[in-house]
Amino acid sequence: MSQFAPDSLRIRDMRLRILPDARAVSLAAAEIIEAAIREATAARGQAVLGLATGATPEGVYARLAERHAADELSFRHVTTYNLDEYYPISPVDPRSYRAYMHRHLFGRVDITPNRAHLLDGSVPESAVAEHCAAFEGWIESDGGLDLQLLGIGRNGHIGFNEPCGLSVDEARRLRTRLVELHPVTRADARREFGSAEAVIPTALTLGVATILAARSILILATGAHKAEAVAAALTGPVTAHLPASLLQSVSPRVTWIVDQAAASALPEALAAASPIG
Ligand code: PGA
């Protein structure tokens, strides 16, 4: 992630790119991920990616799959860890994030099956804590995440780390665990489940601590419905009430790429931002 186009700004010491639309965001993100894969593979023999689901990264995965189909990009030396998964859910349920990842990426590239990891929505409840700890242990034994891809919820969540009343220090120490979904998250998951009431109310999520430990963090937002959360995360206080604001505490490792609609609540902040020359 060493090359940045001249449309990059620096805001609260994070990099911010504002691009015309969602397609431009997807292409720019895919380019950064591809560069991260090449750099890490050259340096350490493998690249370790933290991946996200939802509507936002679909275009990114489509582009990466396209690059693979054109013989320009291989996932043979890539290891992935996904951010979250509904719980409980069957791995073959089409609404599971495991199924999503297979549809959008894993089934379309040459990734080695036992290098593509998701939290398992089918472990017994008595084994959830152990499973979450093991998942973090696997990331560590792979040398940590080279790049964590993130979306942002309308309520400012990252992964399924939902808004909460913890102190910043407590929130930054949150580990991988079972959580309850916030009403806004459930409302936004209607797309997959048909109605907010039908959304599985609990999920497993990578903790804030593991996300913040990634060597680089790439967070994407598209659409006007994300504008308030984006503006608050970039320019508001660091608070567990808006988990994406916690990224400010590891600012030099963070890159935001947003489209103009998602940046539409930012004008004042932009006046204060400095271009990266
Ligand atoms: P979305 O979700 O990409 O479906 O908008 C983003 C998120 O909740 O992190």
Side-chain angles (χ1 to χ4, degrees):
M1 294 185 55
S2 45
Q3 297 295 312
F4 287 94
D7 56 5
S8 289
L9 304 171
R10 194 179 289 282
I11 184 162
R12 298 254 170 112
D13 210 26
M14 298 179 284
R15 293 182 173 97
L16 165 65
R17 291 184 70 184
I18 301 174
L19 299 177
D21 53 29
R23 179 171 159 74
V25 169
S26 294
L27 294 181
E31 205 173 297
I32 287 174
I33 293 168
E34 186 170 336
I37 291 173
R38 288 189 203 290
E39 272 175 39
T41 306
R44 298 192 295 117
Q46 76 162 343
V48 185
L49 303 179
L51 298 180
T53 48
T56 313
E58 283 179 10
V60 181
Y61 298 142
R63 177 61 176 169
L64 292 172
E66 207 176 277
R67 296 283 295 157
H68 172 70
D71 250 350
E72 300 286 349
L73 175 64
S74 172
F75 281 74
R76 242 173 335 124
H77 302 293
V78 176
T79 299
T80 64
Y81 289 93
N82 263 80
L83 266 177
D84 43 24
E85 177 62 287
Y86 292 105
Y87 184 87
I89 199 164
S90 157
V92 296
D93 188 318
R95 301 165 307 179
S96 72
Y97 287 155
R98 184 174 295 273
Y100 169 109
M101 288 308 301
H102 184 76
R103 272 196 309 276
H104 290 286
L105 188 67
F106 301 154
R108 305 175 63 189
V109 297
D110 58 345
I111 194 160
T112 308
N114 68 353
R115 284 184 169 211
H117 310 289
L118 278 102
L119 286 155
D120 185 348
S122 70
V123 294
E125 216 163 329
S126 59
V128 162
E130 196 186 330
H131 175 58
C132 290
F135 198 80
E136 291 192 348
W138 301 338
I139 295 175
E140 255 170 57
S141 60
D142 270 322
L145 300 170
D146 290 301
L147 181 146
Q148 174 67 61
L149 178 65
L150 294 175
I152 178 172
R154 267 195 306 138
N155 62 2
H157 75 194
I158 46 174
F160 280 137
N161 293 283
E162 301 285 23
C164 67
L166 294 177
S167 72
V168 168
D169 276 352
E170 287 165 336
R172 290 193 51 185
R173 285 199 295 268
L174 284 171
R175 312 303 314 189
T176 299
R177 68 204 185 284
L178 180 64
V179 293
E180 258 179 53
L181 299 183
H182 188 271
V184 170
T185 301
R186 292 181 68 180
D188 286 350
R190 274 172 314 201
R191 192 171 78 112
E192 296 92 8
F193 288 87
S195 72
E197 295 67 42
V199 176
I200 297 170
T202 48
L204 304 176
T205 185
L206 215 63
V208 173
T210 308
I211 293 171
L212 296 184
R215 285 187 277 284
S216 62
I217 297 174
L218 176 59
I219 177 162
L220 311 179
T222 58
H225 60 301
K226 298 292 176 70
E228 291 301 327
V230 166
L234 281 165
T235 66
V238 177
T239 166
H241 291 289
L242 194 100
S245 69
L246 298 165
L247 298 174
Q248 290 184 34
S249 58
V250 292
S251 53
R253 288 187 264 127
V254 178
T255 298
W256 287 79
I257 307 183
V258 307
D259 68 0
Q260 262 157 12
S264 57
L266 271 174
E268 277 177 41
L270 286 183
S274 49
I276 296 176

